[in-house]
Amino acid sequence: MNPIRWIDRLIFATILVCALQIPILSDQYRQYLAGYVNALSEQVESWQILAYEFDFQSVEAYIKHLESNDDVLVVKDAQNKRATLSDYYNKQAGLKVMTNEQFPQQVIYMLSPNNFNTLKNVASRYQPGIPLSLNQIGYSVVLAILIDILFLMPFWGAKRFRDRKKSKFSSAYF
């Protein structure tokens, strides 16, 4: 058998194994977000209780009141609370994407530049595996085939060019 075909198969197998890791990474990303949202929700709930205890309509009104304080420490704390609340809402929306959307949308969400730090945290704790869902396996196989085709296109073009050049040379002189 042609050694080029063996190399092609080896490359495809490597790409497939890597592509099969993406659904596992996606599941671990979803689990990370779920834990993060749960931790933040306890903090936000404590702020809601405090806000209602002091007759604020919402956590936003409570934070706005703190931001109008003369004490710099209280204002800084309010800014931290606002950033945490914003992070909570963003992660909650991300958890909905990772839970309810199809695999391609999950991958797009994970790879978006806004989520790079979260992806980095998840990747640092990543444990390789094999996806159990036929849907995830199917997406991985299709992705591996597409990457393999894109990787091999320049080689196919070079071979076609070489074959065309060789056929012109051989037909002109033989």
Side-chain angles (χ1 to χ4, degrees):
M1 182 176 239
N2 187 352
I4 302 290
R5 297 201 76 175
W6 278 103
I7 292 171
D8 176 41
R9 288 180 180 170
L10 182 63
I11 290 171
F12 176 75
T14 304
I15 292 170
L16 180 60
V17 168
C18 292
L20 285 170
Q21 299 311 301
I22 296 172
I24 303 299
L25 182 65
S26 173
D27 285 342
Q28 290 182 11
Y29 192 98
R30 183 184 44 77
Q31 291 171 1
Y32 178 89
L33 279 182
Y36 195 86
V37 167
N38 282 341
L40 287 180
S41 69
E42 290 178 14
Q43 193 169 19
V44 171
E45 284 175 22
S46 71
W47 296 341
Q48 285 174 337
I49 291 169
L50 196 58
Y52 294 144
E53 183 180 326
F54 288 94
D55 296 326
F56 291 102
Q57 296 298 318
S58 66
V59 174
E60 287 290 331
Y62 166 64
I63 292 173
K64 191 172 186 175
H65 176 76
L66 291 176
E67 287 175 331
S68 66
N69 197 299
D70 292 336
D71 190 351
V72 177
L73 179 62
V74 174
V75 171
K76 187 69 175 171
D77 183 52
Q79 290 170 348
N80 287 338
K81 281 179 173 43
R82 184 170 303 285
T84 301
L85 192 61
S86 174
D87 192 34
Y88 171 70
Y89 291 139
N90 289 335
K91 298 293 191 224
Q92 204 174 35
L95 184 58
K96 285 181 184 175
V97 169
M98 296 304 290
T99 303
N100 300 328
E101 296 296 330
Q102 293 294 319
F103 181 66
Q105 288 86 5
Q106 293 174 2
V107 171
I108 290 168
Y109 176 80
M110 279 190 328
L111 297 178
S112 72
N114 295 341
N115 302 319
F116 180 72
N117 287 332
T118 304
L119 182 60
K120 194 168 80 172
N121 287 336
V122 173
S124 70
R125 295 168 181 85
Y126 176 70
Q127 294 293 321
I130 298 174
L132 299 177
S133 163
L134 289 177
N135 213 10
Q136 293 174 335
I137 292 171
Y139 280 123
S140 297
V141 169
V142 169
L143 180 64
I145 290 170
L146 290 174
I147 291 171
D148 190 48
I149 289 171
L150 288 174
F151 178 75
L152 292 176
M153 270 187 181
F155 298 108
W156 291 338
K159 183 180 183 306
R160 177 183 261 174
F161 179 74
R162 185 174 27 121
D163 290 348
R164 193 179 298 164
K165 195 173 184 181
K166 186 188 272 187
S167 69
K168 284 182 184 178
F169 178 73
S170 62
S171 65
Y173 295 104
F174 297 105

